Amino acid sequence: MRAIRVASAALLGVSALAMTAPAAQAQGDNSGFWATVRPTTVAPGEHVRLRATGCEQSVTVSSGVFDTVTIPRWRTTAWARVDRDARRGAVYEVSFYCGTFWQSVDLTIAGGRPDRPDRPDRPDRPEQPEHGVRAGEGGTLAGLNLKEIGLGAALITAALGTAYHLSRRRTEEDGS
């Protein structure tokens, strides 16, 4: 009879540990460094939105069609104005640099003015919301939060202790 109670307590502990695993996996998600330019076709003199995700530091964006732009590490987007003298019909490479990682995206210069309802009136103002999911931390120890680990360990210990206490109490009641 005692073996069944001990097995139940062990199963309860394993279940509590299994429930915390998805949250731990989401915290350490390693989705990598990604970069986009929107729209991909733009007229000379228009604005493009530069987006970089998965980088824990500032991202430098350069191209032959606009001035170098820096996306601060706490943001994911920035705006750039395409040069008015950009050659119509040409395809320019836009390079995103995150430390030793880099990605390039093509930007096409159109002959006419594109219809873009997503262009803000003031491109220097960031879009809302600016803070999305923190992904791409990478590594086993990235984002290690000792408070969360301690709280999780305390909850698991409490669950195991409660199960053990209840099983001992029932044993004492049965033996009396």
Side-chain angles (χ1 to χ4, degrees):
M1 196 66 149
R2 179 169 167 81
I4 293 174
R5 290 188 181 122
V6 171
S8 297
L11 186 60
L12 179 65
V14 170
S15 298
L17 186 60
M19 290 177 150
T20 61
Q25 179 63 28
Q27 177 79 16
D29 184 27
N30 186 7
S31 57
F33 172 58
W34 294 98
T36 59
V37 175
R38 292 287 182 251
T40 56
T41 302
V42 66
E46 294 293 317
H47 288 93
V48 291
R49 185 174 82 176
L50 310 169
R51 180 173 173 82
T53 58
C55 185
E56 291 296 317
Q57 57 189 359
S58 295
V59 175
T60 303
V61 185
S62 63
S63 178
V65 74
F66 56 77
D67 294 332
T68 300
V69 175
T70 300
I71 302 173
R73 69 180 182 95
W74 61 87
R75 293 189 42 200
T76 57
T77 60
W79 291 89
R81 181 185 296 270
V82 174
D83 294 337
R84 293 191 185 280
D85 60 349
R87 197 175 76 226
R88 296 179 187 273
V91 177
Y92 290 89
E93 183 177 86
V94 179
S95 299
F96 293 77
Y97 299 96
C98 171
T100 58
F101 300 103
W102 65 274
Q103 252 188 22
S104 63
V105 179
D106 288 337
L107 177 64
T108 305
I109 306 302
R113 183 177 176 89
D115 180 24
R116 292 200 351 253
D118 65 330
R119 194 184 105 217
D121 294 331
R122 292 193 52 198
D124 56 332
R125 290 179 47 195
E127 275 188 355
Q128 298 296 330
E130 212 24 67
H131 301 285
V133 176
R134 280 192 59 165
E137 292 180 4
T140 304
L141 298 177
L144 183 65
N145 187 337
L146 293 179
K147 288 181 183 178
E148 290 178 358
I149 291 172
L151 181 61
L155 289 173
I156 291 172
T157 303
L160 289 174
T162 301
Y164 177 75
H165 175 72
L166 291 175
S167 69
R168 293 290 295 166
R169 194 172 86 183
R170 287 187 184 155
T171 303
E172 291 173 4
E173 290 174 3
D174 291 343
S176 309

